[in-house]
Amino acid sequence: AQTVTQSQPEMSVQEAETVTLSCTYDTSESDYYLFWYKQPPSRQMILVIRQEAYKQQNATENRFSVNFQKAAKSFSLKISDSQLGDAAMYFCAYCNNNNDMRFGAGTRLTVKP
Amino acid sequence: NAGVTQTPKFQVLKTGQSMTLQCAQDMNHEYMSWYRQDPGMGLRLIHYSVGAGITDQGEVPNGYNVSRSTTEDFPLRLLSAAPSQTSVYFCASSSPGLKTYEQYFGPGTRLTVT
């Protein structure tokens, strides 16, 4: 079964600085999708960014970008110009073509003013 | 569009009681899933469905039943609640036709079993 590992339970960043959250996964499949979700205290799961495994180009969404290393099975999230509203739990997730989605344990991000 | 809705938002059960968590979506998505989220852990897949009449087990299916009689609804049944089922439950939907497999999540149900 696919597994997703987030090795940083907590991270902290100064407002306006850059932070990188790590994620690795294990799979024998060649076609899959990777996601970063944000969960604020409201509990709502919010999609931050997605990456299709067949695409070599790293996905970017405004201040959020990923470093996707398919051979290393690594999928890190970089947040630039961090804002107070970025404080939340961040979950890395893997999904195959059968809609079987697996999540990492999460990283709690704190943003210091 | 209401998106994905879940009822109730909160529920307290006694050990051995049964109940159904409701989930509905109005986006005509083929895929629907149930997850549980425990403290210090990510979401774990309980059951999922790729279409009406089709369901399959995820990582942690024991103690839960599902059925999918319509595209819109995907209820989760706890047959005999146990304290280990205390958790936050999320329902999600997605559409393979979108080619993104992005899951749209409901607001969650916090369940406490005493």
Side-chain angles (χ1 to χ4, degrees):
Chain A
Q2 297 81 12
T3 57
V4 179
T5 303
Q6 293 179 248
S7 58
Q8 307 154 314
E10 295 183 355
M11 290 285 285
S12 178
V13 63
Q14 205 70 33
E15 195 176 4
E17 297 291 307
T18 296
V19 64
T20 298
L21 308 185
S22 301
C23 174
T24 59
Y25 59 95
D26 186 24
T27 184
S28 58
E29 296 170 320
S30 59
D31 193 16
Y32 51 88
Y33 302 81
L34 298 166
F35 304 86
W36 279 97
Y37 279 89
K38 171 185 178 181
Q39 187 180 44
S42 67
R43 274 196 335 230
Q44 184 67 44
M45 295 290 287
I46 302 166
L47 178 68
V48 175
I49 198 165
R50 75 170 70 85
Q51 174 81 43
E52 292 88 343
Y54 63 85
K55 288 186 177 179
Q56 291 186 333
Q57 186 172 3
N58 289 325
T60 299
E61 287 287 342
N62 300 315
R63 298 182 294 108
F64 299 89
S65 61
V66 299
N67 183 4
F68 173 48
Q69 303 288 329
K70 190 172 184 178
K73 295 179 183 173
S74 170
F75 183 61
S76 61
L77 173 70
K78 185 170 82 171
I79 306 174
S80 304
D81 186 24
S82 297
Q83 301 175 358
L84 295 177
D86 294 335
M89 284 291 291
Y90 286 82
F91 293 99
C92 177
Y94 166 106
C95 188
N96 64 16
N97 288 339
N98 292 325
N99 198 43
D100 187 345
M101 186 172 246
R102 305 297 169 109
F103 286 81
T107 296
R108 182 175 302 281
L109 178 66
T110 303
V111 181
K112 297 179 180 177
Chain B
N1 282 353
V4 180
T5 57
Q6 292 182 237
T7 55
K9 285 188 168 52
F10 301 93
Q11 182 70 50
V12 179
L13 290 179
K14 293 188 186 306
T15 297
Q17 287 184 319
S18 63
M19 80 159 295
T20 299
L21 305 184
Q22 301 292 344
C23 175
Q25 52 94 6
D26 61 359
M27 297 174 282
N28 203 32
H29 284 171
E30 297 93 324
Y31 290 179
M32 295 186 75
S33 305
W34 275 103
Y35 299 85
R36 60 178 289 172
Q37 183 178 25
D38 301 310
M41 302 183 74
L43 279 68
R44 290 185 292 167
L45 183 64
I46 304 171
H47 286 284
Y48 62 100
S49 168
V50 297
I54 305 170
T55 63
D56 208 344
Q57 297 181 349
E59 287 179 84
V60 288
N62 293 341
Y64 307 94
N65 275 1
V66 293
S67 60
R68 183 101 180 269
S69 56
T70 67
T71 299
E72 295 78 19
D73 301 299
F74 190 43
L76 178 72
R77 298 183 190 83
L78 283 70
L79 301 178
S80 178
S84 61
Q85 293 179 305
T86 293
S87 189
V88 178
Y89 291 85
F90 288 94
C91 179
S93 73
S94 64
S95 175
L98 295 174
K99 304 291 185 191
T100 62
Y101 291 86
E102 173 187 348
Q103 305 246 352
Y104 293 78
F105 285 86
T109 294
R110 181 177 292 279
L111 175 67
T112 302
V113 183
T114 61

